[in-house]
Every structure is written in structure tokens, then in C-alpha cells.
Amino acid sequence: VCIQGVLDDSWSDYFGTRSVSVEADEDGVAVTTFTTEAVDQAALVGLIHRVNSLGLPLLAVECLSIE
């Protein structure tokens, strides 16, 4: 899950994610990426709701692997 803006590792518990990383995109805009274990649809909607409640722009949701 990628959002525009900067959030540090302390947000990992709030979002229920395994890791948090921040990088700049090609335009120099900060992008925070959350990585999490595979979740069901309800958990994904909950994570997206948390992002929305903070007013952060959601940039991408990507499935990295299916096991």
C-alpha cells in the first residue's frame, strides 16, 4: 500500500503492517509504502479506511505474491 506523504515506523502498529518505508518518487514527492502479510478483503478495506481517516492520498495497492 503506497500513500503520498511521510509516515515513520511508529505507524506500523496503527496500520497493522509488517514494515514502513519512505522514498521519493520520480518527481521528488515523498511516498510511504506499507508492507503487510496477506489479508482478507475486510482487513484491506480497514487499512484503506485508516489511510482515508488521516486524509492521506492513496497512491497504490499492490499484491506482491499469492501463496
Side-chain angles (χ1 to χ4, degrees), residues 2-4 7 10 16-17 42 44 48 52:
C2 298
I3 60 167
Q4 185 176 337
L7 296 175
S10 67
T17 58
L44 178 59
I48 292 169
N52 184 55

Side-chain angles (χ1 to χ4, degrees), residues 1-3 34 39 44 47-48 51 58-64:
V1 176
C2 298
I3 60 167
F34 298 109
V39 295
L44 178 59
L47 185 129
I48 292 169
V51 168
L58 180 64
L59 301 176
V61 176
E62 181 179 349
C63 181
L64 300 177

Side-chain angles (χ1 to χ4, degrees), residues 18-36:
R18 185 175 55 200
S19 68
V20 178
S21 63
V22 179
E23 297 180 5
D25 68 7
E26 59 274 356
D27 297 324
V29 176
V31 175
T32 299
T33 302
F34 298 109
T35 304
T36 186

